[in-house]
Amino acid sequence: GEPLRAQPVTHTVMLDFRGFAAMTDALGGVDVNVTLPFTSTVDDIVYFPPGVNRLNGVQALAFVRERHAFTDGDYQRVRNQQTFLKAVMAKMAADGGLSDRNTVKQLVQTVLPHVTVTPGLTVESLEQLAYSLRATPPGNARFVTLPTAGIGTSWDGQSIIRQNPAATAEVSAALASGTLGEYIAANGLQNGN
């Protein structure tokens, strides 16, 4: 495929659970293709049958938070989170939502009370960023998961995924130097691996 191009990270945005649900509802729901059916076990008990499911905000939270229903726990949860984000991008592209400045402004205003941003990132900057993505096909998005040191058990018996500090440092260095695309390609980390 096409080589990945590095994009410097100048700001970060942290969205809380209520904002995540509000964003989903503001989009009129999001369609996800469920390839591994399951029933959520956290908070709202929701069954996700195989095939396309239209998720509202509450259902979307259940979908992206679940890990106990899967034999590979957190790994499937990450795949579901990536599936959901791809579906959000597809929804915005299909509906042309990012092509209309008023729609973008309304979406930003909806989630704004639920986000924490780095200093200097204004409402206008968020609107401009979202609007600038209007011509980007959702299929161009690449998802990457940090390399791990496998699974294990914590001191209190919880199933955990162990951090790989050396790999995390390599990813951090590649991100800082603008060579993340090359690092991803060289280490086979594309498409959520």
Side-chain angles (χ1 to χ4, degrees):
E2 189 178 310
L4 297 174
R5 286 174 287 176
Q7 182 67 33
V9 177
T10 54
H11 291 286
T12 59
V13 177
M14 185 167 58
L15 183 65
D16 68 21
F17 284 152
R18 286 187 298 168
F20 182 88
M23 177 191 71
T24 304
D25 288 333
L27 291 171
V30 174
D31 293 338
V32 296
N33 184 25
V34 176
T35 56
L36 183 61
F38 67 97
T39 300
S40 64
T41 61
V42 179
D43 298 331
D44 299 281
I45 307 302
V46 181
Y47 174 62
F48 298 94
V52 176
N53 288 239
R54 170 148 304 173
L55 308 184
N56 63 25
V58 169
Q59 294 165 330
L61 273 175
F63 183 77
V64 301
R65 293 183 67 199
E66 182 58 44
R67 70 182 175 101
H68 296 290
F70 311 114
T71 55
D72 60 352
D74 282 315
Y75 293 109
Q76 182 61 40
R77 174 167 59 182
V78 168
R79 287 190 288 271
N80 283 350
Q81 290 168 351
Q82 293 172 350
T83 295
F84 183 80
L85 289 174
K86 289 175 189 174
V88 166
M89 290 186 288
K91 168 88 180 203
M92 296 183 102
D95 290 356
L98 292 179
S99 299
D100 180 69
R101 285 188 180 271
N102 287 330
T103 302
V104 170
K105 187 171 187 168
Q106 183 177 357
L107 183 61
V108 170
Q109 299 281 347
T110 298
V111 300
L112 200 59
H114 308 284
V115 298
T116 303
V117 299
T118 50
L121 186 58
T122 65
V123 174
E124 292 78 17
S125 299
L126 282 171
E127 291 171 7
Q128 289 172 355
L129 176 61
Y131 186 68
S132 73
L133 297 173
R134 67 192 178 282
T136 304
N140 284 10
R142 304 282 175 90
F143 289 85
V144 176
T145 303
L146 281 175
T148 69
I151 59 173
T153 305
S154 67
W155 63 270
D156 60 349
Q158 300 291 316
S159 174
I160 59 172
I161 295 178
R162 297 189 184 284
Q163 180 190 19
N164 183 334
T168 300
E170 289 174 1
V171 170
S172 179
L175 186 59
S177 66
T179 60
L180 184 60
E182 292 86 345
Y183 177 86
I184 290 168
N187 291 280
L189 302 179
Q190 289 181 204
N191 300 322
N193 293 327

